[in-house]
Amino acid sequence: MKIVILLGAPGAGKGTVAARVATGISARHISTGAMLRDAVAKGTPAGTAAKTFMDKGELVPDNVLVDMVDELLAAAASEDILLLDGFPRTLNQARSLETLVARHNVAVDLVVYLDVPESVIMERLCGRRVCSCCGAVFHITTLPPKQEGICDLCGSELIIRDDDKPETIHNRLLVYEKLTAPLVAMYNAENKLVHVNGVGTADDVAESVAAILKR
Ligand code: AMP
């Protein structure tokens, strides 16, 4: 099993890039945010508990995420390449991940940091639209759907994510700086970090990431 972490601020493009890269190299794109949104939509106990945090732009408690990732690792096959998008997000989650992967006799192979300035991030998050059904991501100016408000992939309605409202975006960025940004220095010190310029088209950034993974 190969484990690659995609690090970056909210709106850095982790999900968009991971989806493209995963298709190209037959990896599994694991988005903890998407898993939580799914749990919220299904109204599971974990989803109901998570929604309060997500709506405010706060992080869901570490134990919920660690249990989710533990289950994923247990179910993964030895030949799987896992692209972790949105986990770990705290130093505590990173330490728990080390324990989990050691239990499965694997290690974190690489951490790709998508570097995007805050001005670009704000523009991306404010213009982001997601499919209410399949979760595909669009942007009103940089990645518009063929028909306004409609998903190109499944024809369902495009919506603004609850946590993409301006006041929530601001809080998510503060939370990122305080709790997640320290992981960049940590993985850098472990010589696992590769910087990628995350400004550019989704295809270009995905191509840069895919090239790194193929090395
Ligand atoms: P994302 O789709 O990655 O932007 O995640 C959306 C929201 O899900 C975040 O703002 C958090 O509330 C929650 N979330 C996703 N991943 C994590 C994580 N690793 N730890 C805590 N909360 C998370």
Side-chain angles (χ1 to χ4, degrees), residues 7-28:
L7 263 189
K14 301 183 297 294
T16 309
V17 165
R20 284 168 163 71
V21 171
T23 312
I25 63 168
S26 300
R28 286 179 56 196

PDB file of all heavy atoms in Angstrom, residues 7-28:
ATOM      1  N   LEU A   7      -1.674  18.084   1.099  1.00  0.00           N
ATOM      2  CA  LEU A   7      -1.844  19.149   2.097  1.00  0.00           C
ATOM      3  C   LEU A   7      -2.099  20.464   1.375  1.00  0.00           C
ATOM      4  O   LEU A   7      -1.609  20.677   0.267  1.00  0.00           O
ATOM      5  CB  LEU A   7      -0.547  19.326   2.877  1.00  0.00           C
ATOM      6  CG  LEU A   7      -0.329  18.678   4.235  1.00  0.00           C
ATOM      7  CD1 LEU A   7       0.961  19.219   4.828  1.00  0.00           C
ATOM      8  CD2 LEU A   7      -1.476  18.892   5.176  1.00  0.00           C
ATOM      9  N   GLY A   8      -2.845  21.346   2.038  1.00  0.00           N
ATOM     10  CA  GLY A   8      -3.080  22.665   1.453  1.00  0.00           C
ATOM     11  C   GLY A   8      -4.270  23.293   2.136  1.00  0.00           C
ATOM     12  O   GLY A   8      -5.099  22.593   2.741  1.00  0.00           O
ATOM     13  N   ALA A   9      -4.374  24.603   2.029  1.00  0.00           N
ATOM     14  CA  ALA A   9      -5.476  25.322   2.664  1.00  0.00           C
ATOM     15  C   ALA A   9      -6.798  24.930   2.013  1.00  0.00           C
ATOM     16  O   ALA A   9      -6.812  24.400   0.895  1.00  0.00           O
ATOM     17  CB  ALA A   9      -5.236  26.825   2.500  1.00  0.00           C
ATOM     18  N   PRO A  10      -7.925  25.229   2.687  1.00  0.00           N
ATOM     19  CA  PRO A  10      -9.215  25.029   2.021  1.00  0.00           C
ATOM     20  C   PRO A  10      -9.196  25.844   0.731  1.00  0.00           C
ATOM     21  O   PRO A  10      -8.747  26.989   0.736  1.00  0.00           O
ATOM     22  CB  PRO A  10     -10.228  25.637   3.011  1.00  0.00           C
ATOM     23  CG  PRO A  10      -9.531  25.727   4.312  1.00  0.00           C
ATOM     24  CD  PRO A  10      -8.061  25.818   4.031  1.00  0.00           C
ATOM     25  N   GLY A  11      -9.630  25.254  -0.365  1.00  0.00           N
ATOM     26  CA  GLY A  11      -9.653  25.980  -1.631  1.00  0.00           C
ATOM     27  C   GLY A  11      -8.344  25.903  -2.398  1.00  0.00           C
ATOM     28  O   GLY A  11      -8.233  26.440  -3.496  1.00  0.00           O
ATOM     29  N   ALA A  12      -7.355  25.196  -1.858  1.00  0.00           N
ATOM     30  CA  ALA A  12      -6.074  25.067  -2.587  1.00  0.00           C
ATOM     31  C   ALA A  12      -6.240  24.148  -3.801  1.00  0.00           C
ATOM     32  O   ALA A  12      -5.390  24.134  -4.692  1.00  0.00           O
ATOM     33  CB  ALA A  12      -4.986  24.537  -1.662  1.00  0.00           C
ATOM     34  N   GLY A  13      -7.328  23.390  -3.823  1.00  0.00           N
ATOM     35  CA  GLY A  13      -7.586  22.531  -4.980  1.00  0.00           C
ATOM     36  C   GLY A  13      -7.298  21.067  -4.718  1.00  0.00           C
ATOM     37  O   GLY A  13      -7.196  20.267  -5.662  1.00  0.00           O
ATOM     38  N   LYS A  14      -7.194  20.688  -3.447  1.00  0.00           N
ATOM     39  CA  LYS A  14      -6.831  19.303  -3.127  1.00  0.00           C
ATOM     40  C   LYS A  14      -7.819  18.305  -3.749  1.00  0.00           C
ATOM     41  O   LYS A  14      -7.407  17.334  -4.367  1.00  0.00           O
ATOM     42  CB  LYS A  14      -6.795  19.087  -1.596  1.00  0.00           C
ATOM     43  CG  LYS A  14      -5.823  19.976  -0.858  1.00  0.00           C
ATOM     44  CD  LYS A  14      -5.790  19.664   0.623  1.00  0.00           C
ATOM     45  CE  LYS A  14      -7.085  19.895   1.351  1.00  0.00           C
ATOM     46  NZ  LYS A  14      -7.521  21.297   1.438  1.00  0.00           N
ATOM     47  N   GLY A  15      -9.113  18.583  -3.560  1.00  0.00           N
ATOM     48  CA  GLY A  15     -10.123  17.641  -4.047  1.00  0.00           C
ATOM     49  C   GLY A  15     -10.131  17.540  -5.567  1.00  0.00           C
ATOM     50  O   GLY A  15     -10.174  16.438  -6.130  1.00  0.00           O
ATOM     51  N   THR A  16     -10.079  18.690  -6.222  1.00  0.00           N
ATOM     52  CA  THR A  16     -10.117  18.718  -7.689  1.00  0.00           C
ATOM     53  C   THR A  16      -8.903  18.001  -8.266  1.00  0.00           C
ATOM     54  O   THR A  16      -9.018  17.178  -9.185  1.00  0.00           O
ATOM     55  CB  THR A  16     -10.110  20.196  -8.166  1.00  0.00           C
ATOM     56  OG1 THR A  16     -11.126  20.884  -7.460  1.00  0.00           O
ATOM     57  CG2 THR A  16     -10.341  20.312  -9.639  1.00  0.00           C
ATOM     58  N   VAL A  17      -7.739  18.298  -7.689  1.00  0.00           N
ATOM     59  CA  VAL A  17      -6.496  17.692  -8.184  1.00  0.00           C
ATOM     60  C   VAL A  17      -6.478  16.188  -7.869  1.00  0.00           C
ATOM     61  O   VAL A  17      -6.154  15.362  -8.726  1.00  0.00           O
ATOM     62  CB  VAL A  17      -5.279  18.416  -7.558  1.00  0.00           C
ATOM     63  CG1 VAL A  17      -4.007  17.625  -7.747  1.00  0.00           C
ATOM     64  CG2 VAL A  17      -5.144  19.804  -8.163  1.00  0.00           C
ATOM     65  N   ALA A  18      -6.878  15.838  -6.655  1.00  0.00           N
ATOM     66  CA  ALA A  18      -6.842  14.419  -6.264  1.00  0.00           C
ATOM     67  C   ALA A  18      -7.736  13.585  -7.173  1.00  0.00           C
ATOM     68  O   ALA A  18      -7.360  12.476  -7.578  1.00  0.00           O
ATOM     69  CB  ALA A  18      -7.270  14.272  -4.812  1.00  0.00           C
ATOM     70  N   ALA A  19      -8.921  14.123  -7.510  1.00  0.00           N
ATOM     71  CA  ALA A  19      -9.843  13.364  -8.356  1.00  0.00           C
ATOM     72  C   ALA A  19      -9.208  13.088  -9.722  1.00  0.00           C
ATOM     73  O   ALA A  19      -9.284  11.967 -10.250  1.00  0.00           O
ATOM     74  CB  ALA A  19     -11.150  14.129  -8.519  1.00  0.00           C
ATOM     75  N   ARG A  20      -8.542  14.110 -10.282  1.00  0.00           N
ATOM     76  CA  ARG A  20      -7.910  13.933 -11.597  1.00  0.00           C
ATOM     77  C   ARG A  20      -6.719  12.970 -11.516  1.00  0.00           C
ATOM     78  O   ARG A  20      -6.558  12.095 -12.358  1.00  0.00           O
ATOM     79  CB  ARG A  20      -7.424  15.280 -12.142  1.00  0.00           C
ATOM     80  CG  ARG A  20      -8.530  16.138 -12.680  1.00  0.00           C
ATOM     81  CD  ARG A  20      -8.022  17.555 -12.936  1.00  0.00           C
ATOM     82  NE  ARG A  20      -8.895  18.318 -13.794  1.00  0.00           N
ATOM     83  CZ  ARG A  20     -10.078  18.777 -13.463  1.00  0.00           C
ATOM     84  NH1 ARG A  20     -10.561  18.517 -12.270  1.00  0.00           N
ATOM     85  NH2 ARG A  20     -10.806  19.486 -14.310  1.00  0.00           N
ATOM     86  N   VAL A  21      -5.885  13.164 -10.491  1.00  0.00           N
ATOM     87  CA  VAL A  21      -4.676  12.339 -10.369  1.00  0.00           C
ATOM     88  C   VAL A  21      -5.064  10.884 -10.126  1.00  0.00           C
ATOM     89  O   VAL A  21      -4.499   9.958 -10.715  1.00  0.00           O
ATOM     90  CB  VAL A  21      -3.790  12.861  -9.213  1.00  0.00           C
ATOM     91  CG1 VAL A  21      -2.662  11.900  -8.915  1.00  0.00           C
ATOM     92  CG2 VAL A  21      -3.236  14.233  -9.567  1.00  0.00           C
ATOM     93  N   ALA A  22      -6.064  10.688  -9.272  1.00  0.00           N
ATOM     94  CA  ALA A  22      -6.465   9.326  -8.912  1.00  0.00           C
ATOM     95  C   ALA A  22      -6.908   8.563 -10.154  1.00  0.00           C
ATOM     96  O   ALA A  22      -6.568   7.379 -10.333  1.00  0.00           O
ATOM     97  CB  ALA A  22      -7.581   9.368  -7.879  1.00  0.00           C
ATOM     98  N   THR A  23      -7.639   9.230 -11.042  1.00  0.00           N
ATOM     99  CA  THR A  23      -8.105   8.562 -12.259  1.00  0.00           C
ATOM    100  C   THR A  23      -6.912   8.155 -13.120  1.00  0.00           C
ATOM    101  O   THR A  23      -6.848   7.034 -13.623  1.00  0.00           O
ATOM    102  CB  THR A  23      -9.015   9.519 -13.080  1.00  0.00           C
ATOM    103  OG1 THR A  23      -9.958  10.078 -12.185  1.00  0.00           O
ATOM    104  CG2 THR A  23      -9.720   8.808 -14.196  1.00  0.00           C
ATOM    105  N   GLY A  24      -5.942   9.066 -13.231  1.00  0.00           N
ATOM    106  CA  GLY A  24      -4.794   8.823 -14.116  1.00  0.00           C
ATOM    107  C   GLY A  24      -3.878   7.706 -13.647  1.00  0.00           C
ATOM    108  O   GLY A  24      -3.274   7.017 -14.474  1.00  0.00           O
ATOM    109  N   ILE A  25      -3.760   7.519 -12.322  1.00  0.00           N
ATOM    110  CA  ILE A  25      -2.789   6.513 -11.856  1.00  0.00           C
ATOM    111  C   ILE A  25      -3.462   5.356 -11.087  1.00  0.00           C
ATOM    112  O   ILE A  25      -2.806   4.618 -10.377  1.00  0.00           O
ATOM    113  CB  ILE A  25      -1.682   7.144 -10.976  1.00  0.00           C
ATOM    114  CG1 ILE A  25      -2.286   7.762  -9.695  1.00  0.00           C
ATOM    115  CG2 ILE A  25      -0.859   8.177 -11.731  1.00  0.00           C
ATOM    116  CD1 ILE A  25      -1.226   8.135  -8.664  1.00  0.00           C
ATOM    117  N   SER A  26      -4.776   5.247 -11.238  1.00  0.00           N
ATOM    118  CA  SER A  26      -5.546   4.192 -10.550  1.00  0.00           C
ATOM    119  C   SER A  26      -5.327   4.207  -9.044  1.00  0.00           C
ATOM    120  O   SER A  26      -5.079   3.157  -8.424  1.00  0.00           O
ATOM    121  CB  SER A  26      -5.193   2.812 -11.086  1.00  0.00           C
ATOM    122  OG  SER A  26      -5.477   2.732 -12.429  1.00  0.00           O
ATOM    123  N   ALA A  27      -5.364   5.406  -8.492  1.00  0.00           N
ATOM    124  CA  ALA A  27      -5.256   5.516  -7.031  1.00  0.00           C
ATOM    125  C   ALA A  27      -6.659   5.721  -6.464  1.00  0.00           C
ATOM    126  O   ALA A  27      -7.602   6.004  -7.203  1.00  0.00           O
ATOM    127  CB  ALA A  27      -4.369   6.706  -6.665  1.00  0.00           C
ATOM    128  N   ARG A  28      -6.784   5.564  -5.154  1.00  0.00           N
ATOM    129  CA  ARG A  28      -8.080   5.822  -4.518  1.00  0.00           C
ATOM    130  C   ARG A  28      -8.047   7.199  -3.869  1.00  0.00           C
ATOM    131  O   ARG A  28      -7.158   7.488  -3.076  1.00  0.00           O
ATOM    132  CB  ARG A  28      -8.370   4.767  -3.453  1.00  0.00           C
ATOM    133  CG  ARG A  28      -8.754   3.438  -4.076  1.00  0.00           C
ATOM    134  CD  ARG A  28      -9.009   2.399  -2.995  1.00  0.00           C
ATOM    135  NE  ARG A  28     -10.023   2.831  -2.044  1.00  0.00           N
ATOM    136  CZ  ARG A  28     -10.210   2.268  -0.855  1.00  0.00           C
ATOM    137  NH1 ARG A  28      -9.433   1.270  -0.466  1.00  0.00           N
ATOM    138  NH2 ARG A  28     -11.150   2.689  -0.056  1.00  0.00           N
TER     139      ARG A  28
END
